[in-house]
């Protein structure tokens, strides 16, 4: 029997000793229990081979192009249909998937699964469809001279590995192309969907078919399939104890796609970049007396006084200036790293295409004035009204709840300090941290509630394009996140001007948030997977009738990287904005990220479905958010340096008025911003070799386009 699909065969070898007679071998061969989807053979060495059939090769739809014929078809995407889908509806959908594009199809390969009346359709893609989509996306691949070049379908024979799609395209790229082709299915004329009631089952001309089937309840979900062998290989390399600091980024990009690869590359780069500020923080805290701003609290006549140890001015100054320069260099060198990765992965020259409506977009069917196609239309003025009259007030309401929590924190802080002054016991000293910890819990609960509200608000605003939807959602969450996590710190620093309280608050927020994140993101999912899901998984493994393709449907959908980037952004904010007050910030973040890398890797590999990943050339809007925080850090560190007790004492001794101090601080702030801008200008966003390669690709593409016109 042929090997078949990668996912489709499981071999079980039962070795029979050579001393057995042929009769005994035959009895063993005949008496072994055999499942209806299994085939058994006995080779000349006495080995009984049992092969499990999942998806027979002859059940795949056929291709008309001779170059696309293959003995093995790779399962890429699974379409999960509703439980009560009619067989005629399933056959109609399969016919659309396999039809050529000139006949309104997707030019893909489809398989009905184990049962033609079942609720799954497995989809793959022939060679020509993959190659044409590669050109449409603007991906770069290795040319015959081993250099990266923009792929051209007409020049395909000059690219390496063009006959082997598993080598030419990554698994993530192949699966995204299938999803993209399915999303582009549109009705050529008005027609009824077979097997669907008349009301929801009418397709208008040029209406998106997949979105219509989702609204009609025919399609429940579409997701890419795991390749268990490749996934195990990635996990083995990812979890290796010998590689604590390095990750298999190329393998991650090949299997999970560029979106996840850029996240883990940034996480690795950021973790390495924490080493210098962590080392400086340790030196300032433990080697330089008072350099870390260590403050001793002592009671004198019932009043808490602060006594600085050593030259805290130098410690504050070194840490503040270093933080400003570090944040600038970190962002600029990450840009260079990002451009190198995008060139290596062939996504530096992606094609900008007219965006199709996102799946959740709703409106009245009409002709799009740009494309002339029939699609849902929604007036822009209605969307603006929803944003201005509903979304903005609700966001303001949650910001008010942040202020309310901050007020409660100050009230609790005053009560605890009064109790500690009256008591002076060890217990009352420990209670000094209670308001900070309680406020941390409050902000985390409020954050979770707001995230859910922000998502529903953005959906209700009804944005047509996925990019617009993501930008509005990210803007809402970033605004609240910045206000929720940093408002109390800015208030303590610049209104109350209480640096010891700021230091204590920052430490409690860092430790509390990291413990909570580690618990919710690693410990809880691991416990659920290990103890709650393990019996169910064992039942699936013991049940020979359980289809491996169906088993993947039990995994929860991939939650995305939104929460992960938010966590890194908060870390970067704590470090760049306030580390001069608490130099051990980088040390705590470094320890957290070492476990964060492995925890996120385990979580994404084992606990969720495989996500679709569009080719990307960078981190997108998140990179801009980090750059904005870098500029804010200049202002924050300047004013924190001004608030240092030693700096204020130095200014008073020199007879410098308060007005002149403020003017001097503004001058220093602008000078440092100018230095930051000069550094950003002097450090190119891409290395010279990447720039040369990019210009070569652009020049060769222009030449190839001119030859095609001729």
């Amino acid at each position: 029997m042929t090997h078949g699909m990668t996912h489709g065969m499981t071999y079980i070898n039962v070795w029979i000793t050579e001393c057995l007679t042929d009769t005994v071998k035959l009895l063993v061969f005949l008496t072994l229990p055999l499942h209806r989807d299994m085939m058994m053979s006995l080779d000349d060495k006495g080995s009984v081979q049992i092969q499990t059939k999942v998806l027979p090769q002859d059940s795949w739809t056929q291709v008309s192009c001779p170059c696309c014929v293959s003995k093995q078809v790779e399962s890429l995407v699974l379409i999960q249909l509703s439980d009560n889908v009619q067989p005629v509806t399933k056959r109609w959908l399969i016919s659309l998937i396999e039809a050529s594009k000139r006949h309104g199809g997707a030019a893909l390969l489809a398989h009905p699964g184990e049962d033609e009346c079942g609720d799954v359709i497995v989809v793959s893609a022939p060679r020509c469809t993959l190659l044409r989509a590669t050109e449409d996306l603007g991906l770069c691949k290795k040319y015959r001279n081993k250099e990266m070049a923009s792929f051209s379908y007409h020049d395909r024979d000059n690219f390496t590995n063009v006959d082997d799609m598993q080598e030419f395209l990554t698994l993530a790229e192949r699966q995204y192309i299938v999803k993209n082709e399915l999303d582009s299915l549109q009705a050529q004329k008005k027609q009824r969907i077979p097997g669907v009631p008349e009301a929801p089952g009418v397709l208008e001309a040029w209406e998106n078919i997949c979105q219509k089937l989702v609204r009609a309840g025919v399609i429940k979900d579409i997701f890419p399939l795991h390749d268990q062998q490749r996934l195990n290989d990635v996990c083995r390399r990812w979890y290796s104890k010998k590689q604590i600091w390095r990750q298999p980024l190329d393998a991650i990009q090949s299997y999970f796609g560029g979106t996840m690869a850029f996240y883990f590359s940034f996480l690795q780069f950021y973790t390495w970049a924490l080493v210098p500020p962590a080392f400086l923080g340790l030196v300032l805290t433990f080697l330089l007396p008072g350099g870390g701003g260590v403050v001793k609290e002592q009671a004198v006549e019932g009043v808490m006084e602060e006594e600085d140890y050593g030259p805290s001015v130098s410690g504050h100054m070194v840490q503040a200036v270093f933080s400003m320069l570090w944040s600038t260099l970190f962002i600029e060198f990450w840009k260079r790293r990002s451009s190198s990765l995008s060139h290596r992965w062939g996504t530096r020259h992606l094609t900008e295409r007219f965006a199709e409506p996102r799946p959740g977009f709703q409106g009245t069917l009409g002709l799009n004035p740009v494309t002339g196609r029939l699609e849902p239309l929604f007036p822009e003025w209605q969307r603006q009204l929803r944003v201005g009259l509903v979304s903005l007030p609700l966001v303001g309401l949650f910001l008010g709840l942040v202020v309310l929590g901050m007020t409660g924190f100050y009230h609790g802080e005053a009560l605890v300090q009064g109790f500690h002054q009256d008591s002076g016991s060890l217990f009352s000293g420990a209670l000094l941290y209670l308001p900070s910890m309680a406020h941390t819990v409050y902000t985390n609960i409020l954050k979770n509630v707001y995230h859910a509200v922000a998502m529903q608000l953005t959906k209700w605003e009804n944005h047509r394009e996925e990019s617009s939807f993501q930008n509005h959602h990210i803007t809402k969450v970033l605004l609240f996140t910045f206000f929720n996590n940093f408002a109390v710190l800015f208030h303590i620093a610049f209104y109350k001007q209480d640096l010891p309280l700021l230091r204590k608050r920052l430490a409690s927020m860092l430790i509390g948030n990291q413990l909570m994140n580690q618990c919710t993101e690693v410990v809880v999912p691991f416990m659920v997977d290990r103890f709650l899901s393990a019996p169910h998984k064992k039942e699936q493994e013991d049940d020979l009738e359980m289809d491996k393709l169906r088993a993947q449907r039990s995994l929860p959908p991939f939650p995305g990287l939104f929460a992960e980037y938010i966590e890194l952004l908060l870390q970067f904010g704590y470090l760049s904005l306030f580390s001069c007050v608490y130099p051990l910030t980088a040390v705590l973040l470094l320890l957290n990220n070492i476990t964060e890398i492995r925890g996120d890797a385990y979580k994404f590999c084992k606990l969720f479905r495989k996500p679709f990943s569009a080719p990307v050339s960078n981190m997108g809007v998140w990179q801009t958010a980090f750059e904005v925080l870098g500029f804010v850090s200049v202002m924050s560190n300047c004013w924190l340096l001004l608030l240092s007790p030693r700096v204020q004492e130095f200014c008073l001794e020199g007879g410098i008025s308060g007005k002149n101090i403020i003017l001097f601080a503004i001058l220093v702030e602008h000078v440092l911003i100018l230095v930051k801008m000069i550094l950003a200008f002097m450090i190119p966003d891409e290395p010279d070799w990447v720039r040369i390669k990019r210009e070569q690709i652009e020049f060769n593409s222009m030449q190839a386009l001119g030859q095609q016109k001729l």
Side-chain angles (χ1 to χ4, degrees):
M1 181 177 178
T2 59
H3 182 274
M5 299 172 51
T6 304
H7 299 286
M9 296 298 176
T10 303
Y11 293 96
I12 304 174
N13 293 324
V14 181
W15 294 98
I16 304 177
T17 58
E18 295 181 357
C19 61
L20 292 177
T21 63
D22 294 339
T23 305
V24 176
K25 291 181 181 181
L26 181 60
L27 288 175
V28 174
F29 177 79
L30 294 176
T31 54
L32 282 174
L34 195 63
H35 185 261
R36 63 180 176 87
D37 286 336
M38 300 177 67
M39 293 186 63
M40 184 180 292
S41 61
L42 186 66
D43 61 16
D44 54 355
K45 296 182 180 180
S47 174
V48 178
Q49 290 197 358
I50 305 174
Q51 297 174 325
T52 304
K53 301 184 297 180
V54 178
L55 295 180
Q57 293 292 300
D58 54 6
S59 296
W60 285 95
T61 54
Q62 302 300 314
V63 294
S64 57
C65 181
C67 68
C68 296
V69 177
S70 176
K71 294 181 180 179
Q72 297 183 6
V73 181
E74 180 186 26
S75 298
L76 294 175
V77 174
L78 186 139
I79 302 177
Q80 181 180 349
L81 306 176
S82 62
D83 298 333
N84 57 351
V85 65
Q86 298 297 319
V88 63
T89 307
K90 182 176 180 179
R91 289 194 296 270
W92 172 79
L93 181 56
I94 291 177
S95 66
L96 278 177
I97 294 174
E98 69 169 330
S100 62
K101 291 195 173 183
R102 63 180 179 179
H103 294 104
L108 298 173
L109 302 175
H111 193 288
E114 290 183 335
D115 188 356
E116 292 187 359
C117 299
D119 58 351
V120 297
I121 298 176
V122 185
V123 186
S124 185
R127 175 176 176 269
C128 286
T129 300
L130 292 174
L131 293 180
R132 294 183 187 277
T134 302
E135 181 180 19
D136 293 339
L137 292 174
L139 294 175
C140 293
K141 295 297 176 181
K142 283 189 177 181
Y143 206 62
R144 59 185 177 184
N145 60 358
K146 303 302 181 181
E147 297 290 342
M148 299 295 289
S150 295
F151 179 76
S152 172
Y153 182 79
H154 297 286
D155 194 28
R156 59 188 180 276
D157 293 333
N158 290 319
F159 286 82
T160 59
N161 298 320
V162 75
D163 294 327
D164 186 357
M165 289 296 98
Q166 295 192 13
E167 291 291 335
F168 184 72
L169 293 171
T170 67
L171 177 62
E173 289 170 347
R174 298 194 299 274
Q175 290 174 330
Y176 175 76
I177 288 174
V178 171
K179 179 64 164 58
N180 188 61
E181 297 300 323
L182 290 174
D183 289 341
S184 64
L185 278 174
Q186 292 180 329
Q188 300 294 304
K189 59 182 180 180
K190 184 176 181 178
Q191 57 181 302
R192 284 199 56 198
I193 303 175
V196 178
E198 185 172 355
V202 177
L203 269 171
E204 300 291 341
W206 304 112
E207 187 176 4
N208 188 284
I209 293 177
C210 284
Q211 294 181 14
K212 178 67 175 181
L213 293 178
V214 171
R215 292 194 296 268
V218 176
I219 294 179
K220 294 174 65 176
D221 201 359
I222 302 176
F223 58 90
L225 292 169
H226 274 297
D227 184 329
Q228 198 60 46
Q229 182 178 357
R230 295 181 183 178
L231 178 61
N232 292 337
D233 179 64
V234 173
C235 293
R236 183 171 58 253
R237 298 169 60 187
W238 215 347
Y239 301 154
S240 175
K241 296 181 180 179
K242 298 179 181 179
Q243 296 182 357
I244 299 178
W245 296 92
R246 299 183 63 84
Q247 302 174 88
L249 296 178
D250 290 335
I252 297 171
Q253 189 271 340
S254 176
Y255 189 83
F256 287 103
T259 303
M260 192 174 294
F262 270 109
Y263 165 72
F264 279 100
S265 177
F266 179 79
L267 178 57
Q268 175 179 294
F269 188 86
Y270 172 57
T271 304
W272 271 106
L274 287 174
V275 174
F279 177 76
L280 178 63
L282 291 174
V283 171
L284 293 178
T285 302
F286 298 107
L287 298 182
L288 183 64
V294 179
V295 177
K296 177 183 178 182
E297 295 182 355
Q298 58 181 3
V300 179
E301 297 181 355
V303 180
M304 297 301 297
E305 293 186 351
E306 299 171 359
E307 180 181 345
D308 290 323
Y309 286 112
S312 61
V313 172
S314 61
H316 275 86
M317 186 175 298
V318 170
Q319 184 70 43
V321 174
F322 179 85
S323 296
M324 291 181 282
L325 296 178
W326 175 86
S327 61
T328 302
L329 295 176
F330 167 72
I331 292 297
E332 295 305 318
F333 280 107
W334 163 248
K335 291 179 182 178
R336 295 169 61 85
R337 173 65 173 166
S338 177
S339 64
S340 301
L341 291 175
S342 62
H343 173 77
R344 190 168 79 193
W345 295 334
T347 58
R348 189 67 175 164
H349 305 273
L350 296 176
T351 304
E352 294 185 4
R353 302 188 300 171
F354 182 76
E356 297 291 337
R358 67 181 187 87
F361 179 65
Q362 298 178 351
T364 305
L365 286 178
L367 291 177
N368 188 303
V370 177
T371 63
R373 299 173 181 174
L374 189 69
E375 65 177 47
L377 300 178
F378 188 76
E380 183 66 23
W381 64 269
Q382 291 188 20
R383 182 180 300 110
Q384 297 298 335
L385 281 180
R386 292 184 177 187
V387 172
L389 298 182
V390 179
S391 296
L392 287 179
L394 280 178
V395 171
L397 174 63
F398 275 89
L399 296 182
L401 292 177
V402 172
V403 176
L404 181 63
M406 187 166 57
T407 304
F409 162 68
Y410 289 138
H411 182 67
E413 187 80 14
L415 290 178
V416 171
Q417 285 185 353
F419 177 73
H420 180 61
Q421 291 178 4
D422 296 337
S423 175
S425 63
L426 184 64
F427 174 74
S428 62
L431 287 180
L432 292 175
Y433 291 90
L434 182 61
S436 296
M437 299 300 295
H439 186 250
T440 300
V441 174
Y442 172 81
T443 56
N444 278 277
I445 295 175
L446 190 63
K447 174 192 69 175
N448 294 331
V449 175
Y450 177 81
H451 283 185
V453 173
M455 175 60 71
Q456 294 302 320
L457 280 177
T458 311
K459 289 180 179 179
W460 183 69
E461 290 168 3
N462 200 26
H463 298 276
R464 179 186 179 275
E465 300 176 2
E466 184 66 26
S467 60
S468 176
F469 177 86
Q470 293 296 337
N471 289 337
H472 279 77
H473 181 223
I474 291 175
T475 301
K476 290 185 182 70
V477 176
L478 283 181
L479 178 63
F480 175 82
T481 300
F482 187 87
F483 199 79
N484 189 37
N485 289 273
F486 298 128
V488 63
L489 297 179
F490 277 109
H491 187 269
I492 295 174
F494 304 120
Y495 181 77
K496 300 187 69 175
Q497 299 184 6
D498 190 343
L499 294 187
L501 178 60
L502 176 64
R503 184 179 303 110
K504 183 169 57 178
R505 174 62 181 160
L506 180 60
S508 63
M509 289 182 68
L510 279 172
I511 298 173
N513 287 338
Q514 289 181 16
L515 290 177
M516 186 171 296
N517 288 332
Q518 291 290 333
C519 180
T520 57
E521 295 186 7
V522 179
V523 178
V524 173
F526 176 78
M527 298 293 288
V528 171
D529 180 65
R530 185 67 179 270
F531 297 104
L532 298 182
S533 302
H536 181 61
K537 290 183 178 180
K538 191 174 187 302
E539 291 177 3
Q540 293 181 353
E541 294 173 357
D542 294 340
D543 187 0
L544 295 177
E545 296 183 0
M546 176 62 68
D547 190 346
K548 291 184 178 180
L549 302 180
R550 293 174 179 267
Q552 295 193 35
R553 296 185 299 176
S554 62
L555 294 173
F558 180 71
L561 297 172
F562 192 90
E564 313 302 329
Y565 274 119
I566 286 290
E567 181 182 352
L568 292 182
L569 193 67
L570 290 178
Q571 287 189 13
F572 186 76
Y574 291 139
L575 180 60
S576 60
L577 298 176
F578 303 104
S579 61
C580 67
V581 176
Y582 189 62
L584 291 179
T585 300
V587 179
L588 297 177
L589 297 180
L590 179 62
L591 296 175
N592 175 81
N593 286 0
I594 292 176
T595 59
E596 180 82 11
I597 292 176
R598 304 305 168 190
D600 286 349
Y602 171 82
K603 180 172 61 176
F604 296 148
C605 287
K606 298 295 185 182
L607 305 182
F608 300 106
R609 293 178 187 171
K610 189 176 186 295
F612 285 109
S613 180
V616 293
S617 58
N618 49 50
M619 293 196 312
V621 67
W622 296 106
Q623 186 165 299
T624 305
F626 280 93
E627 290 186 74
V628 172
L629 267 185
F631 273 96
V632 177
S633 69
V634 176
M635 296 178 283
S636 174
N637 283 280
C638 281
W639 292 102
L640 284 176
L641 184 61
L642 179 64
L643 294 177
S644 173
R646 289 284 185 155
V647 172
Q648 293 181 350
E649 181 181 350
F650 174 78
C651 294
L652 291 177
E653 291 177 354
I656 304 175
S657 64
K659 181 180 179 181
N660 291 333
I661 293 176
I662 294 177
L663 292 176
F664 179 73
I666 294 176
L667 176 63
V668 173
E669 173 191 285
H670 283 68
V671 170
L672 290 175
I673 290 178
L674 180 62
V675 172
K676 184 180 181 68
M677 295 177 65
I678 292 175
L679 283 175
F681 176 77
M682 293 178 59
I683 302 176
D685 290 348
E686 55 184 5
D688 289 339
W689 69 270
V690 174
R691 177 185 57 80
I692 294 174
K693 297 293 185 183
R694 173 179 57 81
E695 293 174 353
Q696 288 178 348
I697 292 174
E698 293 173 353
F699 175 75
N700 294 333
S701 298
M702 291 177 61
Q703 280 193 326
L705 182 61
Q707 292 177 0
Q708 289 183 14
K709 290 182 178 180
L710 291 177

